[in-house]
mmCIF file of all heavy atoms in Angstrom:
data_model
loop_
_atom_site.group_PDB
_atom_site.id
_atom_site.type_symbol
_atom_site.label_atom_id
_atom_site.label_comp_id
_atom_site.label_asym_id
_atom_site.label_seq_id
_atom_site.Cartn_x
_atom_site.Cartn_y
_atom_site.Cartn_z
ATOM 1 N N GLU E 296 56.899 20.623 -21.929
ATOM 2 C CA GLU E 296 56.084 21.442 -21.034
ATOM 3 C C GLU E 296 54.644 20.949 -21.000
ATOM 4 O O GLU E 296 54.010 20.876 -19.935
ATOM 5 C CB GLU E 296 56.119 22.910 -21.496
ATOM 6 C CG GLU E 296 57.452 23.605 -21.288
ATOM 7 C CD GLU E 296 57.457 24.995 -21.887
ATOM 8 O OE1 GLU E 296 57.197 25.127 -23.097
ATOM 9 O OE2 GLU E 296 57.707 25.958 -21.125
ATOM 10 N N LYS E 297 54.137 20.605 -22.183
ATOM 11 C CA LYS E 297 52.764 20.103 -22.268
ATOM 12 C C LYS E 297 52.613 18.790 -21.516
ATOM 13 O O LYS E 297 51.655 18.586 -20.756
ATOM 14 C CB LYS E 297 52.369 19.940 -23.732
ATOM 15 C CG LYS E 297 50.949 19.467 -23.966
ATOM 16 C CD LYS E 297 50.870 17.943 -24.136
ATOM 17 C CE LYS E 297 51.681 17.490 -25.342
ATOM 18 N NZ LYS E 297 51.651 16.013 -25.496
ATOM 19 N N ASP E 298 53.560 17.877 -21.685
ATOM 20 C CA ASP E 298 53.512 16.579 -21.010
ATOM 21 C C ASP E 298 53.557 16.747 -19.487
ATOM 22 O O ASP E 298 52.888 16.006 -18.751
ATOM 23 C CB ASP E 298 54.677 15.702 -21.455
ATOM 24 C CG ASP E 298 54.498 15.174 -22.882
ATOM 25 O OD1 ASP E 298 53.370 15.246 -23.384
ATOM 26 O OD2 ASP E 298 55.493 14.704 -23.471
ATOM 27 N N LYS E 299 54.333 17.713 -19.031
ATOM 28 C CA LYS E 299 54.405 17.964 -17.589
ATOM 29 C C LYS E 299 53.064 18.441 -17.049
ATOM 30 O O LYS E 299 52.611 18.009 -15.979
ATOM 31 C CB LYS E 299 55.494 19.000 -17.298
ATOM 32 C CG LYS E 299 55.681 19.289 -15.812
ATOM 33 C CD LYS E 299 56.789 20.305 -15.577
ATOM 34 C CE LYS E 299 56.941 20.592 -14.083
ATOM 35 N NZ LYS E 299 58.008 21.602 -13.829
ATOM 36 N N LEU E 300 52.403 19.318 -17.800
ATOM 37 C CA LEU E 300 51.099 19.813 -17.381
ATOM 38 C C LEU E 300 50.057 18.693 -17.382
ATOM 39 O O LEU E 300 49.223 18.607 -16.471
ATOM 40 C CB LEU E 300 50.643 20.950 -18.299
ATOM 41 C CG LEU E 300 51.398 22.275 -18.167
ATOM 42 C CD1 LEU E 300 50.961 23.250 -19.260
ATOM 43 C CD2 LEU E 300 51.181 22.895 -16.793
ATOM 44 N N VAL E 301 50.097 17.859 -18.399
ATOM 45 C CA VAL E 301 49.163 16.728 -18.463
ATOM 46 C C VAL E 301 49.359 15.813 -17.259
ATOM 47 O O VAL E 301 48.388 15.374 -16.629
ATOM 48 C CB VAL E 301 49.353 15.934 -19.781
ATOM 49 C CG1 VAL E 301 48.565 14.624 -19.737
ATOM 50 C CG2 VAL E 301 48.918 16.771 -20.973
ATOM 51 N N ALA E 302 50.610 15.532 -16.910
ATOM 52 C CA ALA E 302 50.900 14.679 -15.759
ATOM 53 C C ALA E 302 50.406 15.314 -14.462
ATOM 54 O O ALA E 302 49.885 14.615 -13.583
ATOM 55 C CB ALA E 302 52.403 14.412 -15.678
ATOM 56 N N GLU E 303 50.533 16.625 -14.340
ATOM 57 C CA GLU E 303 50.073 17.322 -13.132
ATOM 58 C C GLU E 303 48.546 17.254 -13.007
ATOM 59 O O GLU E 303 48.011 17.062 -11.911
ATOM 60 C CB GLU E 303 50.539 18.779 -13.159
ATOM 61 C CG GLU E 303 52.040 18.942 -12.936
ATOM 62 C CD GLU E 303 52.478 20.398 -12.977
ATOM 63 O OE1 GLU E 303 51.610 21.277 -13.167
ATOM 64 O OE2 GLU E 303 53.680 20.660 -12.821
ATOM 65 N N VAL E 304 47.848 17.400 -14.121
ATOM 66 C CA VAL E 304 46.389 17.311 -14.108
ATOM 67 C C VAL E 304 45.951 15.893 -13.743
ATOM 68 O O VAL E 304 45.020 15.694 -12.941
ATOM 69 C CB VAL E 304 45.796 17.738 -15.467
ATOM 70 C CG1 VAL E 304 44.314 17.372 -15.555
ATOM 71 C CG2 VAL E 304 45.976 19.236 -15.670
ATOM 72 N N MET E 305 46.597 14.884 -14.317
ATOM 73 C CA MET E 305 46.275 13.498 -13.996
ATOM 74 C C MET E 305 46.505 13.211 -12.517
ATOM 75 O O MET E 305 45.660 12.596 -11.846
ATOM 76 C CB MET E 305 47.132 12.552 -14.848
ATOM 77 C CG MET E 305 46.801 12.565 -16.322
ATOM 78 S SD MET E 305 48.010 11.597 -17.292
ATOM 79 C CE MET E 305 47.780 9.953 -16.603
ATOM 80 N N ARG E 306 47.647 13.651 -12.019
ATOM 81 C CA ARG E 306 47.976 13.427 -10.606
ATOM 82 C C ARG E 306 46.952 14.114 -9.696
ATOM 83 O O ARG E 306 46.525 13.533 -8.694
ATOM 84 C CB ARG E 306 49.385 13.942 -10.322
ATOM 85 C CG ARG E 306 49.879 13.688 -8.902
ATOM 86 C CD ARG E 306 51.383 13.826 -8.805
ATOM 87 N NE ARG E 306 51.857 15.065 -9.378
ATOM 88 C CZ ARG E 306 52.605 15.132 -10.489
ATOM 89 N NH1 ARG E 306 52.943 14.027 -11.120
ATOM 90 N NH2 ARG E 306 53.027 16.304 -10.956
ATOM 91 N N TYR E 307 46.566 15.315 -10.059
ATOM 92 C CA TYR E 307 45.594 16.054 -9.250
ATOM 93 C C TYR E 307 44.239 15.354 -9.246
ATOM 94 O O TYR E 307 43.587 15.240 -8.197
ATOM 95 C CB TYR E 307 45.447 17.478 -9.787
ATOM 96 C CG TYR E 307 44.617 18.381 -8.889
ATOM 97 C CD1 TYR E 307 45.203 19.037 -7.817
ATOM 98 C CD2 TYR E 307 43.248 18.557 -9.118
ATOM 99 C CE1 TYR E 307 44.449 19.867 -6.987
ATOM 100 C CE2 TYR E 307 42.492 19.372 -8.290
ATOM 101 C CZ TYR E 307 43.096 20.028 -7.232
ATOM 102 O OH TYR E 307 42.342 20.826 -6.401
ATOM 103 N N MET E 308 43.795 14.874 -10.407
ATOM 104 C CA MET E 308 42.511 14.172 -10.496
ATOM 105 C C MET E 308 42.519 12.916 -9.631
ATOM 106 O O MET E 308 41.558 12.657 -8.883
ATOM 107 C CB MET E 308 42.216 13.790 -11.946
ATOM 108 C CG MET E 308 41.622 14.899 -12.797
ATOM 109 S SD MET E 308 39.986 15.479 -12.242
ATOM 110 C CE MET E 308 39.031 13.958 -12.241
ATOM 111 N N LEU E 309 43.584 12.141 -9.693
ATOM 112 C CA LEU E 309 43.664 10.909 -8.911
ATOM 113 C C LEU E 309 43.716 11.195 -7.421
ATOM 114 O O LEU E 309 43.019 10.560 -6.618
ATOM 115 C CB LEU E 309 44.890 10.107 -9.347
ATOM 116 C CG LEU E 309 44.840 9.511 -10.764
ATOM 117 C CD1 LEU E 309 46.225 9.029 -11.193
ATOM 118 C CD2 LEU E 309 43.838 8.365 -10.831
ATOM 119 N N PHE E 310 44.535 12.158 -7.035
ATOM 120 C CA PHE E 310 44.686 12.491 -5.617
ATOM 121 C C PHE E 310 43.402 13.084 -5.057
ATOM 122 O O PHE E 310 42.932 12.688 -3.983
ATOM 123 C CB PHE E 310 45.841 13.480 -5.436
ATOM 124 C CG PHE E 310 45.941 14.037 -4.035
ATOM 125 C CD1 PHE E 310 46.466 13.280 -3.002
ATOM 126 C CD2 PHE E 310 45.491 15.327 -3.753
ATOM 127 C CE1 PHE E 310 46.553 13.785 -1.712
ATOM 128 C CE2 PHE E 310 45.569 15.840 -2.465
ATOM 129 C CZ PHE E 310 46.098 15.062 -1.446
ATOM 130 N N LYS E 311 42.822 14.048 -5.776
ATOM 131 C CA LYS E 311 41.634 14.736 -5.284
ATOM 132 C C LYS E 311 40.445 13.787 -5.184
ATOM 133 O O LYS E 311 39.658 13.855 -4.234
ATOM 134 C CB LYS E 311 41.300 15.891 -6.224
ATOM 135 C CG LYS E 311 40.299 16.891 -5.657
ATOM 136 C CD LYS E 311 40.931 17.770 -4.596
ATOM 137 C CE LYS E 311 39.990 18.887 -4.178
ATOM 138 N NZ LYS E 311 40.597 19.788 -3.175
ATOM 139 N N THR E 312 40.308 12.891 -6.147
ATOM 140 C CA THR E 312 39.216 11.922 -6.113
ATOM 141 C C THR E 312 39.328 11.025 -4.888
ATOM 142 O O THR E 312 38.332 10.726 -4.218
ATOM 143 C CB THR E 312 39.208 11.075 -7.393
ATOM 144 O OG1 THR E 312 38.987 11.928 -8.527
ATOM 145 C CG2 THR E 312 38.112 10.014 -7.353
ATOM 146 N N HIS E 313 40.541 10.589 -4.592
ATOM 147 C CA HIS E 313 40.755 9.747 -3.410
ATOM 148 C C HIS E 313 40.541 10.545 -2.128
ATOM 149 O O HIS E 313 39.890 10.064 -1.188
ATOM 150 C CB HIS E 313 42.166 9.170 -3.438
ATOM 151 C CG HIS E 313 42.521 8.392 -2.212
ATOM 152 N ND1 HIS E 313 42.024 7.126 -1.963
ATOM 153 C CD2 HIS E 313 43.309 8.701 -1.138
ATOM 154 C CE1 HIS E 313 42.488 6.684 -0.804
ATOM 155 N NE2 HIS E 313 43.274 7.626 -0.291
ATOM 156 N N GLN E 314 41.057 11.755 -2.100
ATOM 157 C CA GLN E 314 40.988 12.579 -0.882
ATOM 158 C C GLN E 314 39.554 12.952 -0.528
ATOM 159 O O GLN E 314 39.192 13.015 0.652
ATOM 160 C CB GLN E 314 41.817 13.853 -1.079
ATOM 161 C CG GLN E 314 41.866 14.762 0.144
ATOM 162 C CD GLN E 314 42.512 16.099 -0.164
ATOM 163 O OE1 GLN E 314 42.153 16.761 -1.136
ATOM 164 N NE2 GLN E 314 43.487 16.489 0.648
ATOM 165 N N THR E 315 38.705 13.192 -1.519
ATOM 166 C CA THR E 315 37.341 13.681 -1.272
ATOM 167 C C THR E 315 36.285 12.602 -1.459
ATOM 168 O O THR E 315 35.103 12.911 -1.610
ATOM 169 C CB THR E 315 37.025 14.859 -2.203
ATOM 170 O OG1 THR E 315 37.090 14.412 -3.578
ATOM 171 C CG2 THR E 315 38.007 15.999 -1.998
#
Side-chain angles (χ1 to χ4, degrees):
E296 290 174 303
K297 182 266 299 178
D298 287 344
K299 182 179 179 181
L300 289 173
V301 170
E303 288 180 1
V304 168
M305 292 172 62
R306 184 163 51 247
Y307 189 85
M308 278 297 304
L309 292 167
F310 171 77
K311 194 74 172 182
T312 298
H313 175 74
Q314 182 189 50
T315 62

